[in-house]
């Protein structure tokens, strides 16, 4: 009897597996890399594979998660058409900027990401947590009308307590304060802290909260953005989350080396626009950006010469991988060098091939990764991919002074990108990300100089070291790489 039940259950799971296999191949229209990885996983561990597929592989590309209302749609697309017509005039006004060389990259982001180009911005770069949070809290203390905060991870510790202290006091002063966090990244926040903030007049939004207490069916799609906008004029974007860990106070990870930007200028409009769309999708508050609210959230900013910036967002709700495609544009236009820093380096075929072509064309490609993992499988697959590029002449540096979490790319002293997007398939396809693409020699040169200084704290991972790695490491790399599209 028991044997018969076992046979029936096995047959049922086999049929489910077959059905799911055909769904993946014929209906989901996934990327081939992802398809092969899921098929391998389903057939190696059929029951567990089925459950993981249900949890981690929903298709969000056809869902209207972020929406404009009609007046916003008319207004924003009018601005886009206006800018598309005026790129030549911008070049004439600012002939010393890299905009002419990168005009087609700017047009690409205008067309694909609806990302406006502004060139009246000042940029401060932070690589240390104490400096970044001092600047952030100081800017919040100076707020006159609104503070909008959006983070992937907010820990329950002393840095978070300081953040809530500032936000709560500003809310009591009558400032509009909104806090948006990812449901997974903020899951340990105590209700007492949130209740105190709301009692003071602050508002809270949670991105993709679970409908069930112990199960989140959208756990694989996270809001990985780190954005703060103050008074619609000052914006912060980059890699730091909120927590003591990001001050280097966690012994396991040690010093936390990250990159974050403070932007003052019209690029803050685009960070504000991103926040408002995310807020609408995550809260019950309908913020109508009509004429009465336009000056409140988007105040007039002086049009002075400064850094050229586009704020670009991407996520699984869009078939275009906008930030990754922006990276590809940068790599393909390189004439001298490409510098990449990322805690995870798991490129898809398009990025990998572009870097190989750059290397074979004589471009100096340098990639910096951390010496310790916070996700062990991704660490091994990272070593596999950088090892492949070593054979083509890439220079690989392993950061030894704590944990490297920066997400930056710099090309030719003229263009760079900083934000929340890692150089991995998860950031390209599954996470909701935001990056600043900056067309400015001063900013690019500063980031290049920071990279050069970081090299002093690195081990040069050369061809000899890679080829002499142990058999055990080779096996770990090979297994991890098979499942890299799912990590």
């Amino acid at each position: 009897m028991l044997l018969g039940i076992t046979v029936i259950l096995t047959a049922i799971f086999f049929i489910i597996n077959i059905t799911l296999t055909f769904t993946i191949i014929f209906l989901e229209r996934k990327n081939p890399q992802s398809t092969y990885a899921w098929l391998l996983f389903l057939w190696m561990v059929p029951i567990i594979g089925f459950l993981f597929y249900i949890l981690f592989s929903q298709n969000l590309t056809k869902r209207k998660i972020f929406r404009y209302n009609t007046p916003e749609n008319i207004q924003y697309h009018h601005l886009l058409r206006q800018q598309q017509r005026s790129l030549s005039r911008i070049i004439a006004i600012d002939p010393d900027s890299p905009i002419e060389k990168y005009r087609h990259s700017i047009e690409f982001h205008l067309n694909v990401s609806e990302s406006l180009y502004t060139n009246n911005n000042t940029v401060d770069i932070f690589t240390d947590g104490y400096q970044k949070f001092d600047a952030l809290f100081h800017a919040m203390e100076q707020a006159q009308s609104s503070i909008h905060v959006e983070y992937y991870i907010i820990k329950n510790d002393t840095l978070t307590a300081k953040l809530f202290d500032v936000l709560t006091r500003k809310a009591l002063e009558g400032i509009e304060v909104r806090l948006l966090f990812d449901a997974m990244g903020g899951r340990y926040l105590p209700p007492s802290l949130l209740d105190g903030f709301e009692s003071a007049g602050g508002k809270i939004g949670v991105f993709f909260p679970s409908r069930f207490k112990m199960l989140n069916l959208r756990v694989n799609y996270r809001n990985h953005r780190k954005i703060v906008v103050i008074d619609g004029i000052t914006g912060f974007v980059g890699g730091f989350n909120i927590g003591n860990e990001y001050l280097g106070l966690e012994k396991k990870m040690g010093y936390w080396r990250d990159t974050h930007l403070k932007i003052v200028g019209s690029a803050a409009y685009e960070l504000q626009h991103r926040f408002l769309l995310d807020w609408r999708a995550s809260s019950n508050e309908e913020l109508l950006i009509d004429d009465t609210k336009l000056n409140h959230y988007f105040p007039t900013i002086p049009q002075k010469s400064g850094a050229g910036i586009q704020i670009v967002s991407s996520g699984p709700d869009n078939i275009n991988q906008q930030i990754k495609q922006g990276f590809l544009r940068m790599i393909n236009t390189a004439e001298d060098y490409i510098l990449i820093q990322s805690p995870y380096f798991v490129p898809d075929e398009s990025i990998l091939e572009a870097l190989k072509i750059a290397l074979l064309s004589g471009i100096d490609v340098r990639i910096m990764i951390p010496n310790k993992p916070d996700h062990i499988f991704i660490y091994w697959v990272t070593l596999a991919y950088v090892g492949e590029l070593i054979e083509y002449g890439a220079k690989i540096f392993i950061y030894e002074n704590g944990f490297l979490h920066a997400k930056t790319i710099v090309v030719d002293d003229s263009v760079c990108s900083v934000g929340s997007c890692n150089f991995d398939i998860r950031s390209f396809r599954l996470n909701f990300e935001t990056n600043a693409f900056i067309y400015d020699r001063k900013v690019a040169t500063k980031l290049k100089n920071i990279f050069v200084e970081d090299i002093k704290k690195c081990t040069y991972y050369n061809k000899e070291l890679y080829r002499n790695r142990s058999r055990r490491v080779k096996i770990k790399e090979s297994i991890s790489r098979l499942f890299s599209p799912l990590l």
Side-chain angles (χ1 to χ4, degrees):
M1 180 72 175
L2 184 61
L3 180 62
I5 293 173
T6 302
V7 170
I8 292 171
L9 288 175
T10 302
I12 290 172
F13 278 113
F14 181 77
I15 292 169
I16 291 173
N17 234 37
I18 289 287
T19 303
L20 193 55
T21 298
F22 278 93
T23 300
I24 292 174
I25 294 174
F26 296 112
L27 300 180
E28 287 288 330
R29 299 181 67 85
K30 292 182 179 294
N31 177 279
Q33 277 184 304
S34 179
T35 298
Y36 297 146
W38 273 116
L39 290 176
L40 178 63
F41 193 53
L42 283 167
W43 288 101
M44 286 180 65
V45 279
I47 298 175
I48 296 174
F50 170 73
L51 294 174
F52 268 65
Y53 186 84
I54 296 299
L55 283 173
F56 298 123
S57 193
Q58 299 176 63
N59 187 349
L60 302 184
T61 56
K62 295 180 181 179
R63 301 188 188 179
K64 297 294 184 182
I65 298 173
F66 309 106
R67 57 184 175 81
Y68 296 100
N69 59 41
T70 302
E72 289 170 351
N73 192 58
I74 293 170
Q75 182 183 75
Y76 200 73
H77 284 84
H78 172 71
L79 289 173
L80 286 170
R81 289 191 298 272
Q82 213 174 35
Q83 186 156 99
Q84 286 163 339
R85 291 193 298 266
S86 66
L87 270 179
S88 297
R89 184 175 57 81
I90 294 173
I91 293 171
I93 293 172
D94 195 8
D96 294 328
S97 80
I99 183 175
E100 188 163 12
K101 179 179 179 181
Y102 295 102
R103 173 176 181 166
H104 294 301
S105 296
I106 293 168
E107 288 178 337
F108 168 77
H109 288 307
L110 275 170
N111 292 326
V112 176
S113 304
E114 299 183 340
S115 175
L116 295 174
Y117 171 84
T118 62
N119 61 343
N120 64 333
N121 304 287
T122 61
V123 179
D124 292 320
I125 303 169
F126 302 103
T127 60
D128 174 81
Y130 285 97
Q131 294 174 356
K132 181 260 179 173
F133 288 109
D134 283 348
L136 176 64
F137 293 147
H138 177 74
M140 287 179 174
E141 294 282 9
Q142 306 303 310
Q144 298 297 309
S145 62
S146 64
I147 301 174
H148 291 157
V149 180
E150 177 175 354
Y151 277 98
Y152 168 48
I153 293 174
I154 303 180
K155 299 289 185 74
N156 180 20
D157 55 27
T158 55
L159 184 65
T160 297
K162 185 173 181 180
L163 171 71
F164 273 84
D165 176 64
V166 175
L167 296 181
T168 301
R169 282 192 290 104
K170 297 306 289 187
L172 287 170
E173 291 175 14
I175 305 299
E176 286 187 30
V177 184
R178 295 179 176 85
L179 174 65
L180 171 61
F181 55 85
D182 182 83
M184 292 297 294
R187 64 190 181 277
Y188 297 120
L189 285 172
S192 59
L193 197 63
L194 301 175
D195 291 343
F197 171 64
E198 287 187 301
S199 296
K203 297 181 179 180
I204 291 173
V206 182
F207 190 87
F208 275 6
S210 176
R211 295 179 182 177
F212 309 99
K213 188 172 183 180
M214 302 300 292
L215 182 66
N216 192 327
L217 295 179
R218 294 181 289 188
V219 68
N220 207 32
Y221 304 98
R222 307 319 318 164
N223 185 340
H224 197 239
R225 296 169 182 144
K226 295 94 173 165
I227 295 171
V228 176
V229 187
I230 298 163
D231 294 340
I233 296 174
T234 301
F236 290 81
V237 64
F240 282 103
N241 287 295
I242 302 290
N244 291 345
E245 177 181 0
Y246 309 104
L247 297 175
L249 298 178
E250 187 179 287
K251 290 183 178 179
K252 177 186 175 184
M253 305 310 294
Y255 180 74
W256 193 274
R257 164 66 183 87
D258 217 321
T259 302
H260 218 90
L261 304 179
K262 174 187 175 184
I263 300 171
V264 179
S266 294
Y269 286 175
E270 291 302 288
L271 291 172
Q272 182 84 297
H273 178 252
R274 177 72 268 159
F275 175 88
L276 292 174
L277 286 176
D278 290 355
W279 180 261
R280 179 179 292 165
S282 307
S283 74
N284 295 321
E285 184 182 16
E286 180 72 21
L287 287 174
L288 296 175
I289 310 306
D290 54 21
D291 290 340
T292 61
K293 285 287 187 179
L294 191 62
N295 291 330
H296 180 67
Y297 294 123
F298 302 92
T300 302
I301 297 175
Q303 295 300 311
K304 60 183 179 180
S305 180
I309 299 177
Q310 285 178 293
I311 301 298
V312 178
S313 296
S314 63
D317 59 318
N318 194 307
I319 196 169
N320 292 302
Q321 298 167 37
Q322 300 100 311
I323 295 177
K324 184 203 80 171
Q325 291 171 346
F327 291 165
L328 278 171
R329 286 285 315 173
M330 292 173 67
I331 292 167
N332 291 334
T333 57
E335 297 176 354
D336 183 16
Y337 72 81
I338 301 166
L339 308 179
I340 295 170
Q341 288 179 313
S342 181
Y344 324 117
F345 186 78
V346 189
D348 64 5
E349 282 300 313
S350 62
I351 292 283
L352 196 63
E353 288 302 309
L355 289 171
K356 287 178 182 178
I357 291 169
L359 286 161
L360 293 172
S361 303
I363 307 300
D364 182 9
V365 177
R366 304 186 178 207
I367 301 170
M368 192 177 294
I369 58 174
N371 73 338
K372 60 181 71 177
D374 62 344
H375 301 290
I376 189 66
F377 287 108
I378 300 179
Y379 180 72
W380 293 120
V381 76
T382 289
L383 290 182
Y385 279 111
V386 298
E388 183 173 340
L389 290 175
I390 284 173
E391 299 294 342
Y392 284 78
K395 299 178 180 68
I396 307 301
F397 299 93
I398 299 181
Y399 187 77
E400 304 288 354
N401 186 39
F403 184 65
L404 177 73
H405 193 249
K407 305 101 164 43
T408 68
I409 176 172
V410 188
V411 173
D412 292 350
D413 283 359
S414 55
V415 64
C416 55
S417 183
V418 176
S420 64
C421 187
N422 297 305
F423 264 78
D424 68 355
I425 294 170
R426 166 164 290 279
S427 277
F428 295 158
R429 295 182 191 156
L430 300 178
N431 287 340
F432 295 90
E433 309 280 5
T434 295
N435 268 48
F437 284 78
I438 306 171
Y439 312 90
D440 184 80
R441 291 190 179 92
K442 290 181 181 178
V443 177
T445 301
K446 284 180 183 177
L447 284 170
K448 180 191 72 172
N449 291 338
I450 290 170
F451 189 102
V452 171
E453 283 298 309
D454 285 337
I455 287 176
K456 298 175 183 178
K457 301 168 186 174
C458 291
T459 296
Y460 179 39
Y461 194 53
N462 58 28
K463 193 177 292 188
E464 182 181 359
L465 283 173
Y466 179 70
R467 289 178 176 176
N468 291 333
R469 69 200 189 284
S470 68
R471 184 179 297 275
R472 173 185 259 184
V473 170
K474 292 178 182 178
I475 292 171
K476 289 178 178 177
E477 286 180 11
S478 298
I479 294 172
S480 298
R481 185 162 180 170
L482 282 174
F483 296 101
S484 60
L486 309 184
L487 295 176

